[in-house]
């Protein structure tokens, strides 16, 4: 089980849009299962901000 501080760090990194392979390497993760567990805690941006983020890709 993942510690609360580590889970918070992962959530913060995902919300900051850190490059996923970099995040996984830094966290020592080899599968997406640990990321999957924190996704319910990641805040969704408002629709207009989400649209802008998608356009940036």
């Amino acid at each position: 089980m993942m510690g609360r501080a580590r889970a918070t760090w992962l959530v913060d990194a995902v919300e900051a849009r850190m490059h996923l392979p970099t995040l996984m390497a830094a966290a020592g993760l080899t599968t997406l299962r640990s990321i999957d567990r924190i996704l319910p805690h990641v805040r969704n941006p408002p629709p207009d901000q989400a649209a802008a983020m998608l356009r940036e890709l």
Side-chain angles (χ1 to χ4, degrees):
M1 186 71 174
M2 181 181 324
R4 176 174 258 160
R6 183 169 185 229
T8 299
W9 178 79
L10 285 169
V11 167
D12 290 345
V14 169
E15 288 179 348
R17 297 175 25 192
M18 180 179 276
H19 184 247
L20 190 56
T22 302
L23 174 60
M24 291 180 65
L29 304 175
T30 57
T31 69
L32 292 175
R33 287 185 184 155
S34 294
I35 298 292
D36 186 50
R37 291 184 197 132
I38 60 126
L39 286 180
H41 305 285
V42 175
R43 292 173 282 170
N44 289 318
D48 57 333
Q49 184 181 359
M53 291 166 70
L54 288 169
R55 281 192 298 273
E56 290 176 11
L57 298 174

